[in-house]
Amino acid sequence: MKVLRKSEWVILTFILAYSFIPTFGGLFRVLEFAGGPAIAPDNPRASATPFPIILHILSSFLFCLLGAIQFLPSIRRQHPAAHRAFGRIVAVAGCLSAGSGLWVAHFYSFPISLQGNLLYWARIILGFAMIGCIVSSIAAIRSRNIFQHSINILRAYAIGQGASTQTFIGIGWMILSGTEATGPLRDAMMVSAWALNLLIAEVLVRVLLVPKRTSSLKSLSNKPSRVGQ
């Protein structure tokens, strides 16, 4: 018996390919901290205190890749125990990713060309928002509110996948201009990637989740009442 439908394989492959550069690039960064060849510009604070960035890379890796599996309907229907187990890992990984990202954004020193005020505050606000969405999704599923659980975890995933969209926007800019964006332009591009992800998440909520919830409520309201029988 097939576990996944063809359409689900397409979705999963797309998400994994979309996440490939930032997630696996991050793993090479971890290898660099372990003594491998340098692939990124040196950051003295990161070299002196590598644990937060290593934690951020590994937790983001789990959140983005394992989280993609959580959106597949076949996994939720056919393997509910696995979905619950993966969900716990994804929730912990997501909170660690956001928390370590907050630490790096606030305590690491970045040149103004790589993090201005706009990008700094976007990272702070979205980091707390991501943790809030994950905590809200946990509270919702414990209350059997699947709709609220779904939209909150989708929003958290949209924030967590910001690096993937930022990578493609950055590559596109380099192809068009021949140079790497820095300063306010880079900040604006990074923030626009999160905005685009959240916009797509809200569209998916209204296209995929709201109709299902409405149909479920209608089916419940159409059931005959047994009161007085």
Side-chain angles (χ1 to χ4, degrees):
M1 182 181 68
K2 292 182 178 180
V3 176
L4 300 180
R5 298 194 301 268
K6 184 177 179 180
S7 60
E8 291 176 322
W9 278 115
V10 172
I11 294 171
L12 182 59
T13 301
F14 172 78
I15 294 176
L16 295 181
Y18 192 68
S19 308
F20 180 82
I21 295 177
T23 53
F24 286 91
L27 293 181
F28 283 113
R29 181 68 162 163
V30 172
L31 292 176
E32 177 186 332
F33 284 125
I39 61 171
D42 182 52
N43 184 321
R45 185 61 181 268
S47 300
T49 315
F51 178 73
I53 197 167
I54 291 174
L55 179 62
H56 182 68
I57 290 169
L58 295 180
S59 57
S60 298
F61 179 88
L62 276 177
F63 181 73
C64 290
L65 300 188
L66 193 57
I69 299 174
Q70 292 295 91
F71 292 110
L72 304 177
S74 294
I75 297 296
R76 296 198 300 269
R77 288 195 299 264
Q78 298 177 26
H79 304 280
H83 178 71
R84 288 192 294 270
F86 289 163
R88 294 185 181 97
I89 297 173
V90 168
V92 173
C95 288
L96 289 175
S97 173
S100 56
L102 286 166
W103 177 280
V104 170
H106 184 69
F107 291 106
Y108 277 21
S109 57
F110 292 95
I112 194 68
S113 60
L114 296 182
Q115 178 175 275
N117 287 332
L118 174 63
L119 182 55
Y120 168 79
W121 284 110
R123 283 172 166 166
I124 296 299
I125 293 170
L126 290 172
F128 281 113
M130 182 173 166
I131 294 173
C133 286
I134 293 172
V135 172
S136 297
S137 73
I138 295 171
I141 199 61
R142 290 175 66 88
S143 302
R144 305 295 183 183
N145 189 339
I146 297 175
F147 173 74
Q148 199 63 41
H149 168 74
S150 299
I151 64 173
N152 282 329
I153 203 63
L154 180 59
R155 288 166 178 163
Y157 194 76
I159 297 172
Q161 276 283 15
S164 298
T165 306
Q166 288 162 355
T167 298
F168 280 92
I169 290 177
I171 291 174
W173 175 260
M174 290 181 67
I175 292 173
L176 291 174
S177 67
T179 59
E180 185 177 356
T182 59
L185 175 61
R186 183 179 186 273
D187 284 13
M189 289 169 59
M190 298 277 278
V191 173
S192 68
W194 278 306
L196 178 60
N197 280 12
L198 288 169
L199 176 62
I200 293 173
E202 294 306 313
V203 171
L204 291 175
V205 166
R206 283 155 179 75
V207 172
L208 299 178
L209 299 179
V210 172
K212 289 183 179 180
R213 186 189 189 218
T214 304
S215 299
S216 299
L217 292 175
K218 285 183 178 179
S219 63
L220 288 173
S221 63
N222 290 333
K223 285 185 178 180
S225 174
R226 294 182 177 273
V227 177
Q229 293 184 0

